[in-house]
Amino acid sequence: MIQSVWPYLAVMLLAAGFWPAIERRFAWRVFEVLPPIVLTYLTVTALSVAGAWSATPEIHGAQEMLVARLVPALLFLLMINCDLRAILALGPRVLGVFACTSISLFIAFVVAYLLFRHWMPANGWMPLASLSGSWVGGTANMIAVKQAIGMSDTALATTLLTDALCYSMWVVVLFAVARLAPAFNRWTRATSSADLAVADTAPRAPATGDSVLLWLGIALAVAALSTLLGARLPVGSMVSATTWTILIATAAGLVAAQTPLARLPGAQAVSSALLISVVAVLASQSSFAGIAAAPLYLLCGVTIIALHAVLLCLFARLFHFDLYLCGISSLAHIGGVAATPVLAATYSRSLVPVGILLALLGYILGTGFGLVVASVLSSLAS
């Protein structure tokens, strides 16, 4: 049994790298349903339950320190690729679809909670709030919201499984409905966006050893400064020092993204490594107890997506949005930057930059969206 920090850290890093390496090497179809980040969480949780390490004060202190510092560092790095000028240049039609998608998801989360809250525990709103952060941004936003609202590590397993399984179902639907575009566009009286002119995003140079070290140092420095500033700002019932830390780190990343610093390669590689490492550390403090609630939350997730789809169709009818933009915007929220360009390319090659930029916009807004949903759901629970 591991009882000291360095062997514990070695296991965390090995677990964080194992499933991504397997996916890259073999590309098994199981990864289409359960991505490496979910398998990493389940693997580390299994090791924790099996007693691979002991929760000594030394290991517990390392876990708290790693999560507290790596989450703001991760959010800072995640914002580096978010070019606000390119996003704003998409124009009112594309941004309008994105706004309607966000509104439809917000309503869907609130309605789903009201429908199922009688079968949930007192803090049952927390997994839905963290899931809402992911379904506008990504897993990093989910973890940021989890930390900000104080959700338990055990409940994270339920959220990750709901996210992965519902997303897998929804992406299949979005690919399948492409052939319905002409009929849908006639119903909404919309013109197709297949020939929408958007400049391609500039390719990023590959990461180098020195750039990785520079980004890691900058991100950890920003995390330390954000923590220092967050501890000095006023707090309330829904705004803690952790919330301020997360928001400050996010804002710092958005500012840095508009400077020449953003051209330094390696930010995406470091943020990806930090994300799965943070998930591994969180899983090491967890158990499988939270998975017992998974069926209820899976039903919630399916309900949310169904309500979102209906509401987005109504918005499309009202504002004359076409199917391609609706599908891309929906997946940019629920699927993130990895899946959206693939769907966009299936619809029309010219829409790939739109998918990328909308997914990046989701990363910017995901944490704030999740905190708003958390505030609303917690008030409904009380």
Side-chain angles (χ1 to χ4, degrees), residues 32-276:
E32 297 176 9
V33 179
L34 294 175
I37 198 164
V38 175
L39 293 173
T40 298
Y41 188 94
L42 295 176
T43 300
V44 176
T45 300
L47 290 173
S48 176
V49 172
W53 49 82
S54 175
T56 63
E58 186 181 6
I59 289 180
H60 182 68
Q63 291 169 334
E64 289 188 342
M65 183 271 294
L66 286 168
V67 174
R69 291 295 182 267
L70 293 186
V71 169
L74 165 63
L75 292 171
F76 168 77
L77 290 170
L78 200 63
M79 295 300 107
I80 294 299
N81 293 327
C82 297
D83 190 340
L84 286 175
R85 288 165 292 194
I87 291 171
L88 294 175
L90 289 172
R93 181 186 176 198
V94 177
L95 295 178
V97 175
F98 185 93
C100 289
T101 306
S102 298
I103 293 169
S104 69
L105 279 169
F106 176 81
I107 296 172
F109 269 98
V110 174
V111 172
Y113 176 70
L114 291 174
L115 289 174
F116 293 99
R117 65 175 175 172
H118 300 294
W119 294 278
M120 295 179 178
N123 61 352
W125 58 271
M126 287 186 172
L128 288 181
S130 63
L131 181 64
S132 71
S134 177
W135 280 6
V136 171
T139 307
N141 302 97
M142 175 198 295
I143 292 173
V145 174
K146 170 206 171 296
Q147 291 299 111
I149 64 178
M151 188 178 87
S152 69
D153 296 328
T154 301
L156 185 61
T158 300
T159 312
L160 283 168
L161 282 173
T162 303
D163 182 22
L165 296 177
C166 290
Y167 152 72
S168 299
M169 174 201 69
W170 187 232
V171 74
V172 171
V173 172
L174 290 176
F175 275 107
V177 299
R179 60 187 179 85
L180 302 178
F184 184 89
N185 295 345
R186 284 195 301 271
W187 179 68
T188 61
R189 301 187 298 279
T191 57
S192 176
S193 58
D195 56 353
L196 187 67
V198 179
D200 283 317
T201 53
R204 300 279 178 176
T208 59
D210 55 323
S211 66
V212 167
L213 291 174
L214 285 171
W215 275 124
L216 192 56
I218 294 169
L220 291 176
V222 169
L225 183 60
S226 300
T227 303
L228 181 64
L229 293 175
R232 300 188 175 190
L233 292 172
V235 299
S237 58
M238 285 301 298
V239 180
S240 63
T242 302
T243 307
W244 282 120
T245 299
I246 287 168
L247 294 177
I248 292 169
T250 301
L254 287 174
V255 172
Q258 315 311 312
T259 69
L261 183 64
R263 292 196 289 269
L264 181 67
Q268 184 173 358
V270 177
S271 65
S272 298
L274 285 183
L275 173 58
I276 201 162

